[in-house]
Amino acid sequence: MSETFILNGKETPFTPGQMILEAARNGGVDIPTMCYLKGAAPTGACRICCVEVKGARSLMAACSTPVASGMEVFTDTELVHRSRKMIVEFMLSSGRHNCLLCEANGNCKLQDLAYFYKITKLQFTEKDEKDIYPTEDQNPFIVRDFSRCILCGRCVQACNEVMVNRAITQGYRGAESKIVTGGDSPYNESECVFCGHCVEVCPVGALTEKKAKGLGRPWEVQKIRTTCPYCGVGCQQWLHVKDGKIVKVTGVEEAEPNQGRLCVKGRFAYDFIYSEDRLKTPLIRKEDGEFREASWDEALDLVASRFKEIIQKDGPDALAGVSCARSLNEDSYQMQKLFRAVIGTNNIDHCART
Ligand code: SF4
Ligand code: SF4
Ligand code: SF4
């Protein structure tokens, strides 16, 4: 029998070692959080997930407090909401939050909480413009807007613990804190490989995709799930499509095999499909060396007839197949089947080995 704790007066099961946040979610109670990142060590950095625990001297961060048997937890009290509202106000005043001009408008946890708590006016003085680090966008993919960063640390954990690229960290101290690359250099001169996972996990508009800027609000785009075309891993992606055109690509969070992760190609290199130079039909080389367009039937018939000629003249081992690393596993399987069973040779390889 699993152990239980009391969540808002209701006996709720939990797994030993589980934090309050996860156990509450499993019990159907969603506790808001800005910094919690599944799969990374809980930091309790944002304090938005604070809850009351009977007998505790102060509010506890639900993401980093383990549940104990019989523990009494309250997520919906006046004290909890007063604290959360104040933290949201602190966050809003720690920078410049003009939602209308922000790429994250409509997809921002801070905006959602500010709306939930009906915050229309800040009781704290906003950070002075001159004390805000300038926006960094000297690279082709990512915009880091420090005026919207709430220093939740999710991007750092995503980079270090999830992607294990170790390109960014928390830099400086106190009011001068900022997320930095090694040596605080621009991203294109750092260890960053532009996987974009930091952008994916940023809960606000501090990290955004440069190429997507101004192309579509979250409520204007249609999200279409697909498999990344670049390699055989089969990462699951969302194509954000507006007026028939891809404006952004993100990972599908709960899906295998990538669980929201993508590489630089999968996330950012989608423009090739709109390239004027893209080949759309097979090309057959003429005797004079020039190419001419052909139908698939014509091209495949030509390949098959040339294969037959070679086999007749020099035997099946005169042929070799190299399967493409961008193909699905199933296609690579069929390729070796074609070569071994139909053509009759074991000369089959895969270009990922080259
Ligand atoms: S980060 Fe969120 S709260 Fe801040 S301006 Fe952007 S949408 Fe608004
Ligand atoms: S950039 Fe985004 S994810 Fe990183 S610390 Fe700032 S708000 Fe958090
Ligand atoms: S793009 Fe990837 S490697 Fe670069 S900082 Fe973000 S998570 Fe790290």
Side-chain angles (χ1 to χ4, degrees), residues 141 211 230 263-273:
F141 304 120
K211 293 200 296 188
Y230 270 110
C263 72
V264 60
K265 293 187 293 179
R267 191 179 298 279
F268 294 116
Y270 47 84
D271 342 40
F272 73 91
I273 57 173

Side-chain angles (χ1 to χ4, degrees), residues 144 148-155 179 198 201-204 206-207:
R144 187 179 276 280
R148 295 183 172 119
C149 177
I150 53 164
L151 290 170
C152 67
R154 271 187 130 213
C155 56
I179 307 299
C198 51
V201 304
C202 181
V204 295
L207 286 171

Side-chain angles (χ1 to χ4, degrees), residues 34 91-92 95-112 114 145 147-150 202-208 217:
M34 303 290 274
M91 285 176 174
L92 287 169
R96 283 283 182 281
H97 292 275
N98 42 357
C99 299
L100 278 180
L101 306 177
C102 182
E103 269 304 298
N105 189 7
N107 184 26
C108 172
K109 287 191 182 176
L110 185 59
Q111 189 185 54
D112 292 347
D145 183 342
S147 72
R148 295 183 172 119
C149 177
I150 53 164
C202 181
V204 295
L207 286 171
T208 48
R217 291 296 193 191

Side-chain angles (χ1 to χ4, degrees), residues 24-67:
R25 278 184 183 173
N26 289 348
V29 174
D30 194 35
I31 299 173
T33 166
M34 303 290 274
C35 70
Y36 172 78
L37 184 64
K38 200 173 168 192
T43 60
C46 76
R47 316 307 287 182
I48 286 286
C49 68
C50 61
V51 291
E52 272 192 75
V53 175
K54 192 172 177 189
R57 279 184 299 177
S58 59
L59 294 174
M60 307 297 285
C63 70
S64 53
T65 305
V67 190

Side-chain angles (χ1 to χ4, degrees), residues 179-250:
I179 307 299
V180 292
T181 60
D184 200 5
S185 50
Y187 286 87
N188 45 344
E189 293 169 20
S190 76
E191 297 293 307
C192 174
V193 295
F194 293 106
C195 66
H197 202 57
C198 51
V199 181
E200 177 104 26
V201 304
C202 181
V204 295
L207 286 171
T208 48
E209 292 89 349
K210 195 172 193 177
K211 293 200 296 188
K213 194 170 168 54
L215 295 186
R217 291 296 193 191
W219 58 87
E220 293 175 322
V221 299
Q222 190 192 356
K223 277 171 78 179
I224 299 171
R225 184 167 164 174
T226 190
T227 303
C228 178
Y230 270 110
C231 79
V233 172
C235 290
Q236 294 301 294
Q237 326 175 295
W238 290 116
L239 305 181
H240 299 235
V241 177
K242 187 182 167 199
D243 300 332
K245 204 159 176 190
I246 299 171
V247 297
K248 182 161 88 174
V249 172
T250 54

Side-chain angles (χ1 to χ4, degrees), residues 2-3 13-19 23 26 67:
S2 65
E3 296 186 50
F14 74 97
T15 313
Q18 226 172 14
M19 302 296 152
N26 289 348
V67 190

